[in-house]
Amino acid sequence: MTSIQLAYLHLATAIICEVLGTSFLVKSEQFTRLTPTVLMALLYAVSFYMLAQTVKTITLGIAYAIWGGLGIVLTTMVGMVVFKQRLDPAALVGIVMIVGGVVVMNLFSKSIGH
């Protein structure tokens, strides 16, 4: 596995942990439930650790934009499917724009690696 592939594996793990952690944030009921609160904290810690591993290879701005952008999209999907939350058209357009930005960076940016 090349260093860039490993960096993207770390980034994917960071994104998944962040989305799961955010889901447990909702389940923690404002930190009043111990198990979801502990799981949230652990998942956030793993997410930041994996993000730190990512920035050894991928520049900070690019890594954070991908982490944040895909985290927003996946968290929104979890909110809609698991928590039955609804979004208005403006919110959906904004999320599509975030996805577009991540795609543009990955396809056209020369800033990905150090």
Side-chain angles (χ1 to χ4, degrees):
M1 182 175 285
T2 67
S3 63
I4 196 75
Q5 289 172 325
L6 186 58
Y8 275 106
L9 178 62
H10 288 151
L11 184 55
T13 303
I15 293 166
I16 290 166
C17 288
E18 187 267 333
V19 170
L20 290 172
T22 302
S23 298
F24 280 108
L25 177 63
V26 172
K27 291 293 195 179
S28 76
E29 296 178 10
Q30 296 75 44
F31 305 128
T32 61
R33 297 182 58 220
L34 181 61
T35 301
T37 300
V38 170
L39 289 170
M40 177 216 59
L42 289 173
L43 286 161
Y44 279 163
V46 171
S47 178
F48 280 107
Y49 175 80
M50 297 309 286
L51 184 60
Q53 300 310 303
T54 301
V55 299
K56 290 178 181 177
T57 305
I58 299 173
T59 58
L60 176 63
I62 300 296
Y64 193 78
I66 295 169
W67 179 76
L70 292 180
I72 289 167
V73 170
L74 293 173
T75 301
T76 299
M77 293 170 69
V78 168
M80 293 174 76
V81 172
V82 175
F83 301 115
K84 307 298 184 216
Q85 298 170 346
R86 299 289 170 239
L87 298 177
D88 62 15
L92 293 171
V93 168
I95 289 169
V96 168
M97 292 171 72
I98 291 168
V99 171
V102 170
V103 169
V104 166
M105 281 188 308
N106 278 287
L107 291 179
F108 302 109
S109 177
K110 304 292 186 230
S111 302
I112 296 293
H114 287 287

